[in-house]
Amino acid sequence: MEPLSQAEIRSSFVNCSKGEAKGVTLPARVETIPWADIDFLGWRDPKATGRGYLVLRHEGAAVGLSLRATTPPRSRLRSSLCNFCMTAHAAADIALFSARRAGAAGKAGNTLGVYLCADLACCLYVRRKLVPEVPQPSETLSVEERVARMELNLHRFVADVLSAP
Ligand SMILES: [Zn+2]
C-alpha cells in the first residue's frame, strides 16, 4: 500500500473518539513498516490487550478502525479460518474482533464482528511470509489471487462498518 505518515494514521480512525485515537499505540515507526508487502496495516495494541487496529486506504481515503478482540470459547468456534485472508489457524490463533460502527449507529452501541488472524498479520500469511502452525486447505490460488480475495473481504467489512445500518 502507499505509505501513510504517523499523523495520517492517527487522524484516520472513524469509529472511536478523538481521545481514544490519540491514545492508540502505533505499530512501529512508519519508516520501518514494509509498506510494499502489505495491503493494510493491522496490529494489536502492545499496551492494551484486547485491542487491535486496522488502517487502510479505502475508496481513496485513509480509514482506521479500532477493534476489540476476544478469544471465543473453543466450543463455539465453528471455523478457524480468518475471514479476511482465509488462512487456517489453530483455535488459539484466531480472535473475534468487533468494530463499533461509524457515526450514530456506533454511538448507539452497534458493532460488527469478524474472525481474524489474532495477530492481524493477514498480509504476511497470504504471501506465505509467515507460516501458520496448522496445515492449510489445498487450493490453487496464486499469491495475487489470495491478495485480491483478502482485499475484497477487507473492503466489504470496512464498507459495512462505515455504512449506516
Ligand atoms: Zn488473516
Side-chain angles (χ1 to χ4, degrees), residues 104-118:
K107 288 200 178 84
N110 202 324
T111 62
L112 276 178
V114 63
Y115 289 96
L116 299 177
C117 300

Side-chain angles (χ1 to χ4, degrees), residues 8 35 41 73 78 90 92 98 112 115 119 127 142 165:
E8 283 175 306
W35 296 101
L41 192 56
R78 288 243 169 106
S98 59
L112 276 178
Y115 289 96
D119 56 6
R127 290 173 174 79
S142 66

Side-chain angles (χ1 to χ4, degrees), residues 82-87 89 116-117 120-123 125 150:
C82 171
N83 293 164
F84 284 174
C85 67
M86 308 303 283
T87 300
H89 283 290
L116 299 177
C117 300
L120 297 173
C122 303
C123 300
Y125 290 116
M150 177 181 73

Side-chain angles (χ1 to χ4, degrees), residues 24-107:
V24 168
T25 311
L26 296 180
R29 291 158 47 123
V30 289
E31 316 84 77
T32 66
I33 294 171
W35 296 101
D37 285 340
I38 61 172
D39 312 284
F40 68 90
L41 192 56
W43 75 101
R44 297 291 295 261
D45 194 324
K47 291 186 189 152
T49 47
R51 272 185 190 283
Y53 309 100
L54 298 178
V55 175
L56 66 150
R57 289 187 187 274
H58 179 75
E59 295 179 350
V63 171
L65 300 182
S66 169
L67 308 168
R68 285 190 182 275
T70 46
T71 307
R74 226 158 267 246
S75 55
R76 281 185 44 204
L77 191 68
R78 288 243 169 106
S79 163
S80 48
L81 284 185
C82 171
N83 293 164
F84 284 174
C85 67
M86 308 303 283
T87 300
H89 283 290
D93 295 329
I94 284 276
L96 173 60
F97 288 91
S98 59
R100 216 167 75 184
R101 282 185 188 260
K107 288 200 178 84

